[in-house]
Amino acid sequence: MDPSLNVDAGTMSPSEQGEVFVFEDGGVTDLDLCNYERFLLSLSLTKESNLSAGEICQSVIESERVGSIGGRWCKWFLI
């Protein structure tokens, strides 16, 4: 999991973040994702192989906005 709050690595500034890695299916992520998996194990990764904290936050907020959380509190706990 990518701890950044960005939802799409493709929109991040290359001068701050560095280059991005483009998956075979067109998804993008931070270049340093899964170096062991890509190079040592020769796995073929897709955009489903990456999840950012930003995507989780976006999903929770969207669920709250449409009412599917039922008015309950949503809290973020850092562990």
Side-chain angles (χ1 to χ4, degrees):
M1 184 177 119
D2 182 353
S4 72
L5 291 179
N6 298 75
V7 175
D8 181 4
T11 61
M12 295 189 291
S13 168
S15 62
E16 288 186 34
Q17 179 62 24
E19 296 179 56
V20 296
F21 176 77
V22 180
F23 294 115
E24 291 181 17
D25 62 357
V28 293
T29 188
D30 190 326
L31 186 61
D32 62 339
L33 171 78
C34 305
N35 284 323
Y36 293 111
E37 288 83 351
R38 289 191 288 130
F39 298 115
L40 297 178
L41 301 175
S42 299
L43 295 177
S44 176
L45 302 175
T46 66
K47 61 184 172 185
E48 300 298 321
S49 304
N50 184 46
L51 179 66
S52 73
E55 290 175 289
I56 295 170
C57 288
Q58 182 181 37
S59 175
V60 170
I61 290 168
E62 288 173 355
S63 295
E64 187 271 336
R65 298 309 303 154
V66 298
S68 62
I69 294 178
R72 295 184 302 262
W73 281 13
C74 298
K75 296 182 182 182
W76 186 267
F77 292 95
L78 299 176
I79 298 175

